[in-house]
Amino acid sequence: MPAASRSSSLLLLLLLSAPAMLTSLRMPLPPRMGRELLGRELLGRELSGRATSGRSLAKLCRPLTRLHSSSPPSPTLYDPLVSEPKWQSYWASHATFATPARASSSPKPKKYILDMFPYPSGAGLHVGHPEGYTATDVMARHYRQRGFDVLHPMGWDSFGLPAEQHAINTGTHPKVTTQKNIGTFKRQLRELGFSYDWGREVATTDEQYVRWTQFIFVQLFKRGLAGQADTPVNWCPALGTVLANEEVIDGLSERGDHPVVRTPLRQWILRIPEYADRLAEGLDGLDWPQGTKSSQRQWIGKSTGTNVAFPVPGLGTSIEAFTTRADTLMGVTYVTLAPEHPLVSSITAAGQRELVDAYVRASASRSDLDRTAAKEKTGVFTGSYCEHPLTGEKIPVWVGDYVLGSYGSGAVMAVPAHDARDFEFAGKFGLEVRRVVDAPEGTDPEEAAVPYTKPGVAVASTAEFDGLATEDAKAAVSAALAAKDLGGPKVQYKLRDWVFSRQRYWGEPIPIYFPVTCGPGVDPRTAPASDYSIDYGTPIPVDEAELPLTLPDMEDFAPGDDPAGCLARAKDWRFFQKGGEWFARETNTMPQWAGSCWYYLRFMDPTNDKEGWSLEADKAWGPVDLYVGGAEHAVLHLLYARFWHHVLYDIGLTTHPEPFKKLVHQGMILGSDNEKMSKSRGNVVNPDDIVRDTGADSLRLYEMFMGPLEAVKPWQTSQVQGVVRFMKRTWAVTDRTVSAPSPPPAASEETEVMLHQTMKKVTQDIENMSFNTAISALMVLTNHLTSLPEPASKDVMEKFAIMLSPFAPHLAEEMWESLGHSETLAYEPWVTWDDSKLVQTSVVMGVQINGKTKGEINISKEEEDEQVALGLAMEQEKVRLIVGDKKVVRVIYKPGRILNLIVK
């Protein structure tokens, strides 16, 4: 070996040996050496993907994993920047958290603990993200120690508009940026010590995952639950895609502030309303927050009411309206159509055409959300009339954008005396207000004033209905309408068809193609569009054996202004021949929701190449026992996933009627300014900074200690030091035990009682997900152990390490190792308490002479006999010598508290 190489090797050996040498001499590691030689840059390479092989790293870590076995550490030697990468490497090399093989007949209980699928953005995590992940990790670690088979996976919701926009702006393929972002997220999550089974990692962009997402879509199509419709949508030409109502603000896209127009487009829809009743009823048996269940019920919006048809003279048709207050039918003074209602054009009189057309165009730039939230009602008269179905009275027809074409029939029978919106509209345009319901006798006059919207008694409604109470009047009016074939009872839902198309590149291709009609010799890949036609009315699903249908490689991802999307430009991909005939693939892609609708099923069986998941895996692991994620997903994601699951249940691909048994929403962590964390506010805190400065365990402990999991809490970096001090005290207590020259004595009764009380509270608090109070109990126990004159026993510290391990796993592992164990504590049995030891039966009580403490006795807390206490006191040599032959003139004895001898 050349001299230079030998010198370099010797220097490296000395540098690597220095920390262990210093440790054996019980000297603290120099900070620079501890942080640079044994810190994350060296031991964490394998975790960040920059390293040599895992095997060589394991060799490097091997002496460190036994660092404290031969020589007990000093409190000053615990450095999280050394210890945490060490244990993360140990867990990775030993596959500590690999999911156990499990059959449906397994006698062991199971827990499937899941985080909501994260989108791997380029910004990486901020400190608000790990809150939910830490909570699920606490539960996963706890249940492993309680003997459960645990499935705790992680993956990536990796399709989506942000990656595509980044690709457009930078020219980088979204696949490249997505993989880079996943790498950042994964590094951060691993450095936080989360016990995920990375062997089950999936991403929605994986080809095999796309295959089974498309397979599910085909099943929906075959069951008539996926179809096409010309649907009014929020079309953004600049982004080249349809936007949800929530993504449009004041007529502009939330992302980029681009103009948005309301226009009908050919869309793929999923007929989720067909499952509306089941989706509402299925909520009853779920352990979910009541607010979330209420939100879903409101979104589903089941209404029992009456359908009313208002004939339109001269058109041979009627305006259909739905109402839950049929008893107010005699109070209708006008009918309002949504601007997108199909009858607007034909019903508008010539003299009003220009005004109506202008109003419809203006409304097209506003989202449904904008229209319903607007404080001021707008509208225009069509110049035409319809007929009252029971009286034949002429009713003016207006257009108003507070009525939505996507809800009900897109028409409202306006009763301004009994509806607040109608009353406001009528007041603005001077329309008649006709009262037809009186409030019950005794109602406060202010409450009885119009618009009166509560039940009452029908008045001015013809002799047939006058005097009827509201419910009776509803039934009578519905029956009258049915008799004239102009309406009748109807159940309606607010839930609309799910628009499933996106006119963009970075999403799953919809596995549908259509026949192409063209002349002989015409190649639609090169011919102008006028030379062929696509029969969109004849959709054909891709054969399941041909899945996945993957995206074409494209350099230009810009959407353009073609609603068919950028895939329409990939003509070699779009058009193909089969059996001598030309066909065209669907150029819309699926929304980001698609992949997140079923990922929990793939996690059960991620390497199955025969099916998305096996029924045996479903029986063994389903349903998800604990699902944790933000409340912002209370409706859309959770409702969509439940819909897909119900369909899969009907098909027989799952044996569980619901996907998620228990749902918990973690509260938002705000910036230190009490505002939502965002780059624009400059209040984002990067978890990498906390991990670098005080370690991952400090971040985990602080986030769980800030307050109740569900609460909204402001981040205060300075307060992290509180849990750092707790960790230091805990390590110091452990060090006293392992450094004692002889085995510490058994725990005193007081310590024993406090230990059992803590074991009970921590266990129950974890099961209730009351993590802040569990940590508080551990802090109290640490303070007690610190105050003891002698070291705590090994048994006490072992139990402490087990209780601490779900919250601060790296520190707990280090404690466990220092206490003489050679294996991880990840599967050590959880602590159990003895109810008989929850209450202290004796107490150490001070003995005073003339008010000054001179000794102490151990006596039952319940001992009432003063003479027994006095006898024990006189057995103390110091007390006996002081009293001597002096006269005890008075004895002050308060059981369990004080014994004071007054001598003279």
Side-chain angles (χ1 to χ4, degrees):
M1 178 182 292
S5 298
R6 287 198 302 272
S7 300
S8 299
S9 299
L10 179 59
L11 177 59
L12 178 60
L13 178 62
L14 288 172
L15 287 174
L16 291 176
S17 302
M21 293 166 60
L22 291 173
T23 300
S24 67
L25 295 174
R26 300 185 59 74
M27 295 172 62
L29 291 177
R32 185 173 182 82
M33 182 178 292
R35 290 168 186 259
E36 295 185 5
L37 295 183
L38 294 178
R40 296 185 179 279
E41 194 62 30
L42 185 59
L43 296 178
R45 288 178 184 172
E46 186 266 337
L47 302 179
S48 60
R50 300 193 301 272
T52 58
S53 71
R55 181 175 299 177
S56 61
L57 181 63
K59 286 183 178 179
L60 178 65
C61 293
R62 193 171 294 140
L64 294 175
T65 60
R66 301 279 73 83
L67 189 65
H68 302 295
S69 299
S70 58
S71 58
S74 163
T76 57
L77 288 180
Y78 181 72
D79 186 348
L81 303 187
V82 173
S83 181
E84 290 178 356
K86 161 189 160 181
W87 288 109
Q88 290 160 18
S89 177
Y90 175 92
W91 296 329
S93 63
H94 288 77
T96 302
F97 305 117
T99 307
R102 179 179 177 81
S104 58
S105 58
S106 174
K108 289 185 68 176
K110 66 89 182 177
K111 287 291 181 181
Y112 183 177
I113 299 172
L114 185 64
D115 297 294
M116 285 192 183
F117 227 18
Y119 172 76
S121 70
L125 299 174
H126 64 63
V127 292
H129 295 123
E131 182 186 19
Y133 304 152
T134 305
T136 57
D137 195 59
V138 169
M139 301 306 295
R141 289 175 176 273
H142 174 67
Y143 281 120
R144 287 192 194 98
Q145 292 178 314
R146 285 184 53 194
F148 285 75
D149 285 341
V150 173
L151 172 56
H152 188 39
M154 175 52 74
W156 318 105
D157 192 8
S158 43
F159 277 123
L161 184 59
E164 181 170 311
Q165 285 301 114
H166 183 76
I168 294 169
N169 296 335
T170 64
T172 307
H173 196 285
K175 181 183 293 186
V176 175
T177 56
T178 298
Q179 288 302 317
K180 180 181 177 181
N181 295 345
I182 286 175
T184 299
F185 266 58
K186 187 173 180 179
R187 173 191 62 79
Q188 290 181 303
L189 293 177
R190 295 186 75 164
E191 288 184 353
L192 288 169
F194 296 136
S195 61
Y196 295 123
D197 178 359
W198 289 107
R200 291 181 177 247
E201 177 185 7
V202 299
T204 56
T205 47
D206 296 341
E207 281 194 12
Q208 278 298 305
Y209 195 92
V210 170
R211 172 188 178 187
W212 298 113
T213 303
Q214 292 174 334
F215 167 84
I216 296 173
F217 179 88
V218 170
Q219 309 315 306
L220 293 166
F221 176 80
K222 289 179 177 178
R223 295 177 72 86
L225 295 170
Q228 300 175 92
D230 288 329
T231 305
V233 293
N234 302 312
W235 168 250
C236 179
L239 295 178
T241 192
V242 169
L243 299 177
N245 289 323
E246 293 77 10
E247 297 172 311
V248 182
I249 301 174
D250 296 329
L252 301 176
S253 63
E254 183 182 33
R255 180 176 292 274
D257 291 332
H258 302 297
V260 177
V261 295
R262 190 79 171 166
T263 185
L265 287 180
R266 181 185 65 86
Q267 297 287 300
W268 280 94
I269 58 165
L270 299 187
R271 297 186 174 94
I272 188 172
E274 293 194 21
Y275 279 74
D277 276 333
R278 284 176 56 183
L279 289 170
E281 293 164 2
L283 293 167
D284 293 337
L286 299 179
D287 184 6
W288 285 22
Q290 285 302 320
T292 300
K293 293 202 281 189
S294 295
S295 295
Q296 290 213 0
R297 288 193 176 98
Q298 291 171 9
W299 192 266
I300 294 167
K302 182 177 182 179
S303 297
T304 301
T306 302
N307 188 54
V308 185
F310 293 84
V312 181
L315 289 185
T317 188
S318 296
I319 297 172
E320 302 283 339
F322 175 82
T323 179
T324 59
R325 291 295 302 270
D327 59 305
T328 65
L329 181 59
M330 296 303 179
V332 174
T333 57
Y334 62 98
V335 167
T336 309
L337 302 180
E340 58 271 24
H341 194 288
L343 287 180
V344 168
S345 178
S346 57
I347 205 172
T348 299
Q352 292 292 101
R353 175 73 58 190
E354 187 175 343
L355 283 174
V356 171
D357 288 350
Y359 183 79
V360 169
R361 286 194 300 272
S363 298
S365 65
R366 304 180 68 199
S367 72
D368 289 355
L369 202 61
D370 283 342
R371 287 160 57 178
T372 55
K375 293 183 179 179
E376 184 177 354
K377 299 293 181 290
T378 65
V380 61
F381 180 42
T382 65
S384 298
Y385 297 82
C386 61
E387 293 179 351
H388 193 286
L390 297 185
T391 66
E393 177 187 1
K394 288 176 62 177
I395 306 290
V397 179
W398 285 68
V399 177
D401 67 2
Y402 75 95
V403 182
L404 303 179
S406 59
Y407 178 64
S409 62
V412 166
M413 58 170 242
V415 188
H418 305 291
D419 182 274
R421 293 182 311 164
D422 298 343
F423 182 78
E424 184 181 345
F425 191 93
K428 179 172 181 178
F429 295 105
L431 301 171
E432 180 185 0
V433 177
R434 186 184 303 169
R435 182 163 193 154
V436 294
V437 179
D438 269 352
E441 290 186 15
T443 302
D444 184 276
E446 190 172 327
E447 291 184 14
V450 294
Y452 178 72
T453 60
K454 296 180 180 179
V457 178
V459 295
S461 297
T462 74
E464 185 178 359
F465 308 118
D466 282 349
L468 294 177
T470 294
E471 292 303 316
D472 293 335
K474 287 181 183 180
V477 170
S478 292
L481 288 168
K484 298 186 69 171
D485 202 22
L486 290 173
K490 182 180 180 182
V491 176
Q492 180 168 287
Y493 299 91
K494 189 185 296 184
L495 185 64
R496 312 316 301 159
D497 287 333
W498 174 7
V499 177
F500 201 67
S501 300
R502 295 295 183 270
Q503 294 69 36
R504 60 184 186 225
Y505 175 75
W506 196 233
E508 300 94 336
I510 293 176
I512 296 290
Y513 59 95
F514 308 93
V516 175
T517 301
C518 55
V522 174
D523 186 338
R525 295 173 298 182
T526 56
S530 58
D531 287 358
Y532 62 86
S533 63
I534 299 174
D535 181 8
Y536 290 110
T538 309
I540 306 167
V542 174
D543 189 276
E544 293 171 13
E546 297 177 6
L547 298 176
L549 172 62
T550 58
L551 289 167
D553 289 329
M554 296 183 70
E555 294 182 3
D556 179 13
F557 312 110
D561 57 4
D562 184 355
C566 68
L567 288 180
R569 299 197 298 270
K571 294 193 174 183
D572 287 341
W573 176 87
R574 185 185 192 188
F575 296 102
F576 66 97
Q577 280 187 302
K578 190 174 184 179
E581 301 292 330
W582 281 102
F583 296 91
R585 302 189 197 279
E586 174 59 71
T587 56
N588 284 324
T589 54
M590 298 186 197
Q592 190 171 357
W593 306 109
S596 62
C597 272
W598 72 280
Y599 69 104
Y600 60 94
L601 292 165
R602 186 62 176 172
F603 277 142
M604 298 177 187
D605 201 5
T607 60
N608 192 335
D609 60 358
K610 304 297 183 185
E611 48 194 341
W613 63 96
S614 70
L615 205 56
E616 176 64 17
D618 170 79
K619 292 176 181 177
W621 287 110
V624 175
D625 295 286
L626 174 63
Y627 196 31
V628 176
E632 66 272 18
H633 300 296
V635 174
L636 297 180
H637 158 62
L638 287 167
L639 196 63
Y640 293 159
R642 291 183 62 224
F643 166 53
W644 277 38
H645 191 92
H646 278 257
V647 176
L648 295 172
Y649 179 76
D650 288 349
I651 294 173
L653 295 179
T654 177
T655 58
H656 309 285
E658 288 285 344
F660 314 118
K661 283 174 63 176
K662 181 178 177 67
L663 173 70
V664 173
H665 297 307
Q666 79 274 15
M668 185 180 295
I669 292 183
L670 306 175
S672 57
D673 55 1
N674 280 304
E675 297 289 341
K676 182 178 179 180
M677 285 192 184
S678 68
K679 284 186 177 180
S680 61
R681 294 190 178 96
N683 62 355
V684 171
V685 179
N686 190 328
D688 290 352
D689 296 336
I690 307 300
V691 172
R692 182 192 63 238
D693 294 340
T694 58
D697 282 345
S698 69
L699 177 63
R700 293 170 61 112
L701 280 165
Y702 177 58
E703 295 214 346
M704 295 299 95
F705 187 60
M706 291 173 74
L709 179 63
E710 297 85 354
V712 176
K713 305 166 283 281
W715 176 270
Q716 299 292 340
T717 299
S718 60
Q719 293 181 5
V720 176
Q721 289 303 317
V723 297
V724 171
R725 288 191 292 272
F726 162 62
M727 292 169 62
K728 289 180 177 178
R729 287 196 301 272
T730 299
W731 182 253
V733 171
T734 308
D735 180 69
R736 287 182 68 198
T737 297
V738 300
S739 301
S742 59
S748 66
E749 184 188 17
E750 181 183 10
T751 298
E752 190 83 358
V753 168
M754 181 167 285
L755 174 65
H756 282 261
Q757 289 175 339
T758 305
M759 291 191 294
K760 179 179 180 179
K761 179 164 181 57
V762 170
T763 302
Q764 293 180 342
D765 283 352
I766 289 178
E767 290 172 354
N768 294 327
M769 301 186 75
S770 301
F771 304 128
N772 57 322
T773 53
I775 295 171
S776 179
L778 291 172
M779 290 178 171
V780 171
L781 180 57
T782 297
N783 291 340
H784 169 75
L785 297 175
T786 302
S787 70
L788 296 177
E790 295 185 351
S793 70
K794 180 182 177 183
D795 177 67
V796 169
M797 295 315 302
E798 287 176 335
K799 289 181 168 62
F800 193 107
I802 290 171
M803 288 188 286
L804 179 65
S805 63
F807 304 101
H810 309 89
L811 173 57
E813 290 276 20
E814 204 72 34
M815 291 169 63
W816 191 252
E817 184 184 61
S818 73
L819 290 164
H821 299 280
S822 59
E823 301 293 335
T824 174
L825 56 53
Y827 293 92
E828 284 298 313
W830 186 251
V831 297
T832 57
W833 68 91
D834 185 341
D835 286 331
S836 68
K837 295 183 178 181
L838 295 176
V839 178
Q840 189 170 341
T841 59
S842 64
V843 64
V844 176
M845 188 171 65
V847 178
Q848 297 179 351
I849 299 178
N850 292 339
K852 295 183 178 179
T853 301
K854 300 299 181 180
E856 57 184 27
I857 60 174
N858 193 314
I859 189 171
S860 170
K861 293 175 67 175
E862 309 301 326
E863 181 58 68
E864 296 282 350
D865 193 326
E866 180 181 296
Q867 291 304 312
V868 173
L870 189 57
L872 290 171
M874 296 307 293
E875 290 177 3
Q876 303 294 313
E877 184 177 2
K878 185 176 182 181
V879 173
R880 191 169 59 249
L881 288 174
I882 293 175
V883 173
D885 57 359
K886 297 182 180 70
K887 184 179 181 181
V888 179
V889 298
R890 185 182 175 195
V891 176
I892 302 173
Y893 176 57
K894 295 183 180 180
R897 295 173 57 193
I898 189 172
L899 174 64
N900 187 10
L901 310 181
I902 307 300
V903 302
K904 191 174 182 180

